[in-house]
Amino acid sequence: MNENPVVREKGNVVKVSGNNPIKTLFRKGMFMLKAQLGLIVFFFKLKQKQILFFGSHIHRIFQNGQYFNRFYDSMVDFHGLQNKVYNVEYQKINEPIYNKKAVISLNTYLDYHKLVNKVYNKFRKRKPLLALKQYDQFCNDLSGLNLKLEDLRLSENHLIEWSEKVNTNNMFFERLYKKVKPQKVIFLGYYGLDDLYAALLAANKLGIKTIDFQHGPQTNVHLAFSCWNKIPEKGFNSMPVEFWNWDQASKNNIDTWANTANGVKAKVVGQPYLGYWMHKMKNENIKKQYVFYSLQTHPFSIEDFLTPQIIALIKRLKYNWVLRLHPRNNLDIDELKLFLKTNKIENKAHIQDAFNVPLPEVLTASVLHITNYSGCLIEAYQLGVPTLLINEVGHEMFSEYIDNKLVYYLNQNETHFQQAFEDVIKNCENLPILKESINVFNPLGGFK
């Protein structure tokens, strides 16, 4: 057996001793020292800001040579708030990025915090406590539905592990908030990530206003925004106390349950990027030349989107089609290109990345937007661009919007689908392009 294994590092051969406990301990010690020093420097450099925005690279568009957060940076740039905010990026950071001095790489510093606490926890003797009212009854109800707690990660061990993780990370955010002293902490989707729950928990504990800013559809089938039947009087400590919505219909869905909790409320603030973009492009001449198709993610396949009916329409209609990928696209682009070529529509159907072309730019240049159930429907509606829903789920989600003027629904399985589709196109061809301005909300001062 080779006592000195060889590894390659960037093309160079480096000899590494086998299991040398002293070197291992030294390496771990250096990692620990780097983490501690990194945290000290990070917190020392922080300044007081009025708002902490939590967002991701999937919320950004590449414009003017920078990655620009469609929701937050629209408000920041329009109202000159660059020095009053921090943008906390909780996934990867793409460079170059707008207002870089305000960007915080959460993964970097939270990972330092996690490492330091992992070491400290080895010397702590804490007995986990679990206190959940009616937990046993809850377990029995799930068992009656043939659902296993282990599979759902709802066993006692899972819940203890999760709560300890959130509480540990909560300490990092408490320290962050006490240094920055923000008036508001705003999230683009508060749910799904343990780090965000910890950030919410800390802010709520310190009495800082926590806000969820709408980033997509918030309809009756979205469980993060619907069907909350039992709510504590003051709301959940791991949920926002305020919800900022694009439109009244989205607010109405929140109100159905939020009105039962004291201190939890919803308000309409609009989709700021629409107003921001229209203000920038108000003197541009826009021509309607596309059918815009917003694609989605799992469980849809290429064949689900481009059915024989849709392929026939692409071939027959005079318009070019834009196939807009979802920001979290899971379709294989090469397969999609091959599919278009195989069906001889590659010259009429063009694939568009979600990050390189502003959504309002392509929407306003489209005679019709079609989708299964994308939240682009709401943005199209606010821009006066008609939408055609072609999926039953979309019909259920957006039934409140369907008016056969700006929002239509057609069942793809109907015999006369193609003819009905063409009739919708004809109805939409003469609709005027929206000229009136859309207000850009100021997160510090509201509408003016």
Coordinates of all heavy atoms in Angstrom, one line a residue, residues 152-225:
L152 N -41.9 11.9 5.1 CA -42.2 13.3 5.1 C -41.2 14.2 5.9 O -41.4 15.4 6.0 CB -43.6 13.5 5.7 CG -44.8 12.9 4.9 CD1 -46.1 13.0 5.6 CD2 -44.9 13.5 3.5
R153 N -40.3 13.5 6.6 CA -39.3 14.2 7.4 C -40.0 14.9 8.6 O -39.7 16.1 8.9 CB -38.4 15.1 6.6 CG -37.6 14.4 5.6 CD -36.6 15.3 4.9 NE -35.6 15.9 5.9 CZ -34.5 15.3 6.3 NH1 -34.2 14.0 5.8 NH2 -33.7 15.8 7.1
L154 N -41.0 14.3 9.2 CA -41.8 14.9 10.2 C -41.7 14.1 11.5 O -42.4 14.3 12.5 CB -43.3 15.0 9.8 CG -43.6 16.0 8.8 CD1 -45.0 15.9 8.4 CD2 -43.3 17.4 9.3
S155 N -40.7 13.1 11.6 CA -40.5 12.4 12.8 C -39.9 13.3 13.9 O -39.5 14.4 13.6 CB -39.6 11.2 12.6 OG -38.3 11.7 12.3
E156 N -39.9 12.9 15.1 CA -39.4 13.7 16.2 C -37.9 14.0 15.9 O -37.5 15.2 16.1 CB -39.5 13.0 17.6 CG -40.9 13.0 18.1 CD -40.9 12.5 19.6 OE1 -39.8 12.5 20.2 OE2 -42.0 12.3 20.1
N157 N -37.1 13.0 15.5 CA -35.7 13.3 15.2 C -35.6 14.3 14.1 O -34.7 15.2 14.2 CB -35.0 12.0 14.8 CG -34.8 11.1 16.0 OD1 -34.8 11.5 17.1 ND2 -34.7 9.8 15.7
H158 N -36.4 14.2 13.0 CA -36.3 15.2 12.0 C -36.6 16.6 12.5 O -36.0 17.6 12.1 CB -37.2 14.8 10.8 CG -36.7 13.7 10.0 ND1 -37.5 12.6 9.7 CD2 -35.5 13.5 9.4 CE1 -36.8 11.8 8.9 NE2 -35.6 12.3 8.7
L159 N -37.7 16.7 13.3 CA -38.1 18.0 13.7 C -37.1 18.6 14.7 O -36.9 19.9 14.7 CB -39.5 17.9 14.4 CG -40.7 17.6 13.5 CD1 -41.9 17.4 14.3 CD2 -40.9 18.7 12.5
I160 N -36.5 17.8 15.5 CA -35.5 18.3 16.4 C -34.3 18.8 15.6 O -33.7 19.9 15.9 CB -35.0 17.2 17.4 CG1 -36.2 16.9 18.4 CG2 -33.8 17.6 18.2 CD1 -36.0 15.7 19.3
E161 N -33.9 18.0 14.7 CA -32.7 18.4 13.8 C -33.0 19.7 13.1 O -32.1 20.6 13.0 CB -32.5 17.2 12.8 CG -31.3 17.5 11.9 CD -31.1 16.4 10.8 OE1 -31.6 15.3 11.1 OE2 -30.6 16.7 9.7
W162 N -34.2 19.8 12.5 CA -34.6 21.0 11.8 C -34.6 22.2 12.7 O -34.1 23.3 12.4 CB -35.9 20.8 11.1 CG -36.4 22.0 10.3 CD1 -36.0 22.3 9.0 CD2 -37.2 23.1 10.8 NE1 -36.6 23.5 8.6 CE2 -37.3 24.0 9.7 CE3 -37.9 23.4 11.9 CZ2 -38.1 25.2 9.8 CZ3 -38.7 24.5 12.0 CH2 -38.8 25.4 10.9
S163 N -35.2 22.1 13.9 CA -35.4 23.3 14.8 C -34.0 23.7 15.3 O -33.8 24.9 15.4 CB -36.3 22.9 15.9 OG -35.8 21.8 16.7
E164 N -33.1 22.7 15.6 CA -31.8 23.1 16.0 C -31.0 23.8 14.9 O -30.3 24.8 15.2 CB -31.0 21.9 16.5 CG -31.6 21.3 17.8 CD -30.6 20.3 18.5 OE1 -29.8 19.7 17.7 OE2 -30.6 20.3 19.7
K165 N -31.2 23.4 13.7 CA -30.5 24.0 12.6 C -31.0 25.5 12.4 O -30.2 26.4 12.3 CB -30.8 23.2 11.3 CG -30.1 23.8 10.1 CD -30.7 23.3 8.8 CE -30.6 21.7 8.7 NZ -31.1 21.2 7.4
V166 N -32.3 25.7 12.5 CA -32.9 27.0 12.3 C -32.4 27.9 13.5 O -32.1 29.1 13.3 CB -34.4 26.9 12.2 CG1 -35.0 28.3 12.3 CG2 -34.8 26.2 10.9
N167 N -32.5 27.4 14.7 CA -32.1 28.2 15.9 C -30.6 28.5 15.9 O -30.3 29.6 16.3 CB -32.5 27.4 17.1 CG -33.9 27.4 17.5 OD1 -34.6 28.4 17.2 ND2 -34.5 26.4 18.1
T168 N -29.8 27.6 15.4 CA -28.4 27.9 15.3 C -28.1 29.1 14.3 O -27.4 30.0 14.5 CB -27.6 26.7 14.9 OG1 -27.7 25.7 15.9 CG2 -26.1 27.0 14.7
N169 N -28.7 29.0 13.1 CA -28.6 30.0 12.1 C -29.3 31.3 12.5 O -28.8 32.4 12.1 CB -29.1 29.5 10.7 CG -28.4 28.3 10.2 OD1 -27.2 28.1 10.6 ND2 -29.0 27.6 9.2
N170 N -30.3 31.2 13.3 CA -31.0 32.4 13.8 C -30.0 33.3 14.5 O -30.2 34.5 14.4 CB -32.1 31.9 14.7 CG -32.7 33.0 15.6 OD1 -33.3 33.9 15.1 ND2 -32.5 32.8 16.9
M171 N -29.0 32.7 15.2 CA -28.1 33.6 16.0 C -27.3 34.4 15.0 O -26.9 35.6 15.3 CB -27.1 32.7 16.8 CG -27.8 31.9 17.9 SD -26.7 31.0 19.0 CE -26.2 29.7 17.9
F172 N -26.9 33.9 13.8 CA -26.2 34.7 12.8 C -27.0 35.9 12.4 O -26.5 37.0 12.3 CB -25.9 33.8 11.6 CG -25.3 34.6 10.4 CD1 -24.0 34.9 10.3 CD2 -26.2 35.0 9.4 CE1 -23.5 35.6 9.2 CE2 -25.7 35.8 8.3 CZ -24.3 36.0 8.2
F173 N -28.3 35.7 12.1 CA -29.2 36.7 11.6 C -29.5 37.8 12.7 O -29.6 39.0 12.4 CB -30.5 36.2 11.0 CG -30.2 35.4 9.8 CD1 -30.3 34.0 9.7 CD2 -29.9 36.1 8.6 CE1 -30.1 33.3 8.6 CE2 -29.6 35.4 7.4 CZ -29.7 34.0 7.4
E174 N -29.6 37.3 13.9 CA -29.8 38.3 15.0 C -28.6 39.3 15.1 O -28.8 40.5 15.2 CB -30.0 37.6 16.4 CG -31.4 37.0 16.6 CD -31.6 36.6 18.0 OE1 -31.1 37.3 18.9 OE2 -32.3 35.6 18.2
R175 N -27.4 38.7 15.0 CA -26.2 39.5 15.0 C -26.2 40.5 13.8 O -25.8 41.6 13.9 CB -25.0 38.6 15.0 CG -23.7 39.3 15.2 CD -22.5 38.3 15.2 NE -21.2 39.0 15.3 CZ -20.1 38.3 15.3 NH1 -20.0 37.0 15.2 NH2 -18.9 39.0 15.4
L176 N -26.6 40.0 12.6 CA -26.7 40.8 11.4 C -27.6 42.0 11.6 O -27.3 43.1 11.3 CB -27.1 39.9 10.2 CG -27.4 40.6 8.9 CD1 -26.1 41.2 8.3 CD2 -28.0 39.6 7.9
Y177 N -28.8 41.7 12.1 CA -29.8 42.7 12.2 C -29.4 43.8 13.3 O -29.7 44.9 13.1 CB -31.2 42.1 12.6 CG -31.7 41.1 11.5 CD1 -32.5 40.0 11.9 CD2 -31.5 41.3 10.2 CE1 -33.0 39.2 11.0 CE2 -32.0 40.4 9.2 CZ -32.7 39.3 9.6 OH -33.2 38.5 8.7
K178 N -28.8 43.3 14.3 CA -28.4 44.2 15.4 C -27.4 45.2 14.9 O -27.3 46.3 15.4 CB -28.0 43.5 16.6 CG -29.1 42.8 17.4 CD -28.6 42.0 18.6 CE -29.8 41.3 19.3 NZ -29.3 40.4 20.4
K179 N -26.6 44.8 14.0 CA -25.5 45.7 13.4 C -26.1 46.6 12.3 O -25.8 47.8 12.3 CB -24.4 44.8 12.8 CG -23.2 45.7 12.3 CD -22.5 46.4 13.4 CE -21.4 47.4 12.9 NZ -20.3 46.7 12.3
V180 N -26.9 46.1 11.4 CA -27.5 46.8 10.3 C -28.7 47.7 10.8 O -28.9 48.8 10.2 CB -27.9 45.9 9.2 CG1 -28.6 46.7 8.0 CG2 -26.7 45.1 8.6
K181 N -29.4 47.2 11.7 CA -30.6 47.9 12.2 C -31.6 48.3 11.1 O -32.0 49.5 11.0 CB -30.2 49.2 13.0 CG -29.3 49.0 14.2 CD -29.0 50.2 15.0 CE -28.0 50.0 16.1 NZ -28.5 49.0 17.1
P182 N -32.1 47.3 10.3 CA -33.0 47.7 9.2 C -34.4 47.9 9.8 O -34.8 47.4 10.8 CB -33.0 46.4 8.4 CG -32.7 45.3 9.4 CD -31.7 45.9 10.4
Q183 N -35.1 48.7 9.0 CA -36.6 48.9 9.3 C -37.4 47.8 8.8 O -38.4 47.4 9.4 CB -37.1 50.2 8.7 CG -36.4 51.5 9.1 CD -36.8 52.7 8.3 OE1 -37.7 52.6 7.5 NE2 -36.1 53.8 8.5
K184 N -36.9 47.2 7.7 CA -37.7 46.2 7.0 C -36.7 45.1 6.5 O -35.6 45.4 6.0 CB -38.5 46.7 5.8 CG -39.5 47.8 6.2 CD -40.1 48.5 5.0 CE -41.0 49.7 5.4 NZ -41.5 50.4 4.2
V185 N -37.2 43.8 6.5 CA -36.5 42.7 5.9 C -37.5 42.1 4.9 O -38.6 41.7 5.2 CB -36.1 41.7 6.9 CG1 -35.4 40.5 6.3 CG2 -35.2 42.3 8.0
I186 N -37.0 42.1 3.6 CA -37.9 41.7 2.5 C -37.4 40.4 1.8 O -36.2 40.4 1.5 CB -38.1 42.9 1.5 CG1 -38.6 44.1 2.3 CG2 -39.1 42.5 0.4 CD1 -38.7 45.4 1.4
F187 N -38.3 39.5 1.5 CA -38.0 38.2 0.9 C -38.8 38.1 -0.5 O -39.9 38.4 -0.5 CB -38.4 37.1 1.8 CG -37.7 37.1 3.1 CD1 -38.2 37.8 4.2 CD2 -36.5 36.4 3.3 CE1 -37.6 37.9 5.4 CE2 -35.9 36.4 4.6 CZ -36.5 37.1 5.6
L188 N -38.1 37.5 -1.5 CA -38.8 37.1 -2.7 C -39.1 35.6 -2.6 O -38.4 34.8 -3.2 CB -37.9 37.4 -3.9 CG -37.9 38.9 -4.4 CD1 -36.8 39.1 -5.4 CD2 -39.2 39.2 -5.0
G189 N -40.1 35.3 -1.9 CA -40.4 33.9 -1.6 C -39.8 33.5 -0.3 O -38.6 33.2 -0.2
Y190 N -40.6 33.5 0.8 CA -40.1 33.2 2.1 C -39.9 31.8 2.5 O -39.3 31.4 3.5 CB -41.1 33.8 3.1 CG -42.4 33.1 3.3 CD1 -42.5 32.0 4.2 CD2 -43.5 33.3 2.4 CE1 -43.7 31.3 4.3 CE2 -44.6 32.6 2.5 CZ -44.7 31.6 3.5 OH -45.9 30.9 3.6
Y191 N -40.4 30.9 1.6 CA -40.6 29.5 2.0 C -39.5 28.6 1.3 O -38.9 28.9 0.3 CB -42.0 29.0 1.6 CG -42.3 29.2 0.1 CD1 -42.0 28.3 -0.8 CD2 -42.8 30.5 -0.3 CE1 -42.2 28.6 -2.2 CE2 -43.0 30.7 -1.6 CZ -42.7 29.8 -2.6 OH -43.0 30.0 -3.9
G192 N -39.3 27.4 1.9 CA -38.6 26.3 1.2 C -37.1 26.2 1.6 O -36.5 25.1 1.3
L193 N -36.5 27.2 2.2 CA -35.1 27.2 2.5 C -34.9 27.4 4.0 O -35.4 28.4 4.6 CB -34.3 28.2 1.7 CG -34.2 28.0 0.2 CD1 -33.5 29.2 -0.4 CD2 -33.5 26.7 -0.1
D194 N -34.2 26.5 4.7 CA -34.1 26.7 6.2 C -33.4 28.0 6.5 O -33.7 28.6 7.6 CB -33.3 25.5 6.7 CG -34.0 24.1 6.5 OD1 -35.2 24.2 6.3 OD2 -33.3 23.1 6.6
D195 N -32.4 28.4 5.7 CA -31.7 29.7 6.0 C -32.7 30.9 6.1 O -32.6 31.8 6.9 CB -30.6 29.9 5.0 CG -29.5 28.9 5.1 OD1 -29.4 28.2 6.1 OD2 -28.7 28.8 4.2
L196 N -33.7 30.8 5.2 CA -34.7 31.9 5.1 C -35.6 31.9 6.3 O -36.0 32.9 6.9 CB -35.5 31.9 3.8 CG -34.6 32.1 2.6 CD1 -35.6 32.3 1.4 CD2 -33.7 33.3 2.7
Y197 N -36.0 30.7 6.8 CA -36.8 30.5 8.0 C -36.0 31.1 9.2 O -36.6 31.8 10.0 CB -37.2 29.1 8.2 CG -38.2 28.5 7.2 CD1 -37.9 27.4 6.5 CD2 -39.4 29.2 7.0 CE1 -38.9 26.9 5.6 CE2 -40.3 28.7 6.2 CZ -40.1 27.5 5.4 OH -41.0 27.1 4.5
A198 N -34.7 30.8 9.2 CA -33.9 31.4 10.3 C -33.9 32.9 10.3 O -34.0 33.6 11.3 CB -32.5 30.8 10.3
A199 N -33.8 33.4 9.1 CA -33.7 34.9 8.9 C -35.0 35.5 9.3 O -35.1 36.6 9.9 CB -33.4 35.2 7.4
L200 N -36.2 34.9 9.0 CA -37.5 35.3 9.4 C -37.6 35.3 10.9 O -38.1 36.2 11.5 CB -38.6 34.5 8.7 CG -39.0 34.9 7.3 CD1 -39.8 33.8 6.6 CD2 -39.9 36.1 7.4
L201 N -37.3 34.2 11.4 CA -37.4 34.0 12.9 C -36.7 35.0 13.7 O -37.2 35.6 14.6 CB -36.8 32.6 13.3 CG -37.0 32.2 14.7 CD1 -38.4 32.0 15.1 CD2 -36.2 30.9 15.0
A202 N -35.5 35.4 13.2 CA -34.7 36.4 13.9 C -35.3 37.7 13.8 O -35.4 38.5 14.8 CB -33.2 36.4 13.4
A203 N -35.7 38.1 12.6 CA -36.3 39.4 12.4 C -37.6 39.6 13.2 O -37.9 40.6 13.8 CB -36.6 39.6 10.9
N204 N -38.5 38.5 13.1 CA -39.7 38.6 13.9 C -39.4 38.7 15.4 O -40.1 39.4 16.1 CB -40.6 37.4 13.6 CG -41.2 37.5 12.2 OD1 -41.5 38.5 11.7 ND2 -41.5 36.3 11.6
K205 N -38.4 38.0 15.9 CA -38.1 38.0 17.3 C -37.7 39.4 17.7 O -38.0 39.9 18.8 CB -37.0 37.0 17.5 CG -36.5 36.9 19.0 CD -35.4 35.9 19.1 CE -34.9 35.8 20.6 NZ -33.8 34.8 20.7
L206 N -37.0 40.1 16.8 CA -36.5 41.5 17.1 C -37.5 42.6 16.8 O -37.2 43.8 17.0 CB -35.2 41.7 16.4 CG -34.0 40.8 16.8 CD1 -32.8 41.1 15.8 CD2 -33.6 41.1 18.2
G207 N -38.6 42.2 16.3 CA -39.7 43.2 16.0 C -39.4 44.0 14.8 O -40.0 45.1 14.6
I208 N -38.6 43.5 13.9 CA -38.4 44.1 12.6 C -39.5 43.7 11.6 O -39.9 42.5 11.6 CB -37.0 43.7 12.0 CG1 -35.9 44.1 13.0 CG2 -36.8 44.4 10.6 CD1 -34.6 43.5 12.6
K209 N -40.0 44.6 10.8 CA -41.1 44.2 9.9 C -40.6 43.2 8.8 O -39.6 43.5 8.1 CB -41.7 45.5 9.2 CG -42.8 45.1 8.2 CD -43.4 46.4 7.6 CE -44.3 47.1 8.6 NZ -45.0 48.2 7.9
T210 N -41.2 42.1 8.7 CA -40.8 41.1 7.7 C -41.9 41.1 6.6 O -43.1 41.1 6.9 CB -40.7 39.7 8.3 OG1 -41.9 39.4 9.1 CG2 -39.5 39.6 9.3
I211 N -41.4 41.0 5.3 CA -42.3 41.2 4.2 C -42.0 40.1 3.1 O -40.8 39.9 2.8 CB -42.1 42.6 3.6 CG1 -42.5 43.7 4.6 CG2 -42.9 42.7 2.3 CD1 -41.9 45.0 4.3
D212 N -43.0 39.5 2.5 CA -42.8 38.7 1.4 C -43.2 39.5 0.2 O -44.4 40.0 0.1 CB -43.6 37.4 1.5 CG -43.4 36.5 0.2 OD1 -42.5 35.7 0.2 OD2 -44.2 36.7 -0.7
F213 N -42.3 39.6 -0.8 CA -42.6 40.4 -2.0 C -43.0 39.4 -3.1 O -42.2 38.5 -3.4 CB -41.4 41.2 -2.5 CG -41.7 42.4 -3.4 CD1 -41.6 43.7 -3.0 CD2 -42.2 42.1 -4.7 CE1 -41.9 44.7 -3.8 CE2 -42.5 43.2 -5.5 CZ -42.3 44.5 -5.1
Q214 N -44.1 39.5 -3.7 CA -44.6 38.6 -4.7 C -43.6 38.4 -5.9 O -43.1 39.4 -6.4 CB -46.0 39.0 -5.3 CG -46.6 38.0 -6.2 CD -48.0 38.3 -6.6 OE1 -48.6 39.3 -6.1 NE2 -48.6 37.6 -7.6
H215 N -43.3 37.1 -6.2 CA -42.4 36.9 -7.3 C -43.0 36.0 -8.4 O -42.3 35.6 -9.4 CB -41.1 36.2 -6.8 CG -41.3 34.8 -6.3 ND1 -42.0 34.5 -5.1 CD2 -40.9 33.7 -6.8 CE1 -42.0 33.2 -5.0 NE2 -41.4 32.7 -6.0
G216 N -44.2 35.6 -8.2 CA -44.9 34.7 -9.1 C -46.4 34.6 -8.7 O -46.9 35.3 -7.9
P217 N -47.1 33.6 -9.3 CA -48.5 33.4 -9.0 C -48.7 33.1 -7.5 O -48.0 32.3 -6.9 CB -49.0 32.3 -9.9 CG -47.7 31.5 -10.2 CD -46.6 32.5 -10.2
Q218 N -49.7 33.7 -6.9 CA -50.1 33.5 -5.5 C -51.6 33.1 -5.5 O -52.4 33.9 -4.9 CB -49.8 34.7 -4.6 CG -48.3 35.0 -4.5 CD -48.1 36.3 -3.6 OE1 -46.9 36.6 -3.4 NE2 -49.1 36.9 -3.1
T219 N -51.9 32.1 -6.2 CA -53.3 31.8 -6.3 C -53.8 30.7 -5.3 O -53.0 30.2 -4.5 CB -53.6 31.3 -7.8 OG1 -52.8 30.1 -8.0 CG2 -53.2 32.3 -8.8
N220 N -55.0 30.2 -5.5 CA -55.6 29.3 -4.6 C -55.0 27.9 -4.5 O -55.3 27.1 -3.7 CB -57.1 29.2 -4.9 CG -57.3 28.6 -6.3 OD1 -56.6 28.9 -7.2 ND2 -58.4 27.9 -6.5
V221 N -54.1 27.6 -5.5 CA -53.4 26.3 -5.4 C -52.0 26.3 -4.9 O -51.3 25.3 -4.9 CB -53.4 25.6 -6.8 CG1 -54.9 25.4 -7.3 CG2 -52.6 26.4 -7.8
H222 N -51.5 27.5 -4.6 CA -50.2 27.7 -4.0 C -50.2 27.6 -2.5 O -50.7 28.6 -1.9 CB -49.6 29.0 -4.5 CG -48.1 29.1 -4.4 ND1 -47.4 28.7 -3.2 CD2 -47.1 29.5 -5.2 CE1 -46.1 28.9 -3.4 NE2 -45.9 29.4 -4.6
L223 N -49.8 26.5 -1.9 CA -50.0 26.3 -0.5 C -49.2 27.2 0.4 O -49.5 27.3 1.6 CB -49.6 24.8 -0.2 CG -50.6 23.8 -0.9 CD1 -50.2 22.4 -0.4 CD2 -52.0 24.1 -0.6
A224 N -48.1 27.9 -0.1 CA -47.4 28.8 0.7 C -48.3 30.1 1.0 O -48.0 30.8 1.9 CB -46.1 29.2 0.1
F225 N -49.3 30.3 0.1 CA -50.1 31.5 0.2 C -51.6 31.2 0.4 O -52.4 32.2 0.3 CB -49.9 32.4 -1.0 CG -48.4 32.8 -1.3 CD1 -47.7 32.1 -2.2 CD2 -47.8 33.7 -0.5 CE1 -46.3 32.5 -2.5 CE2 -46.5 34.1 -0.7 CZ -45.7 33.4 -1.7

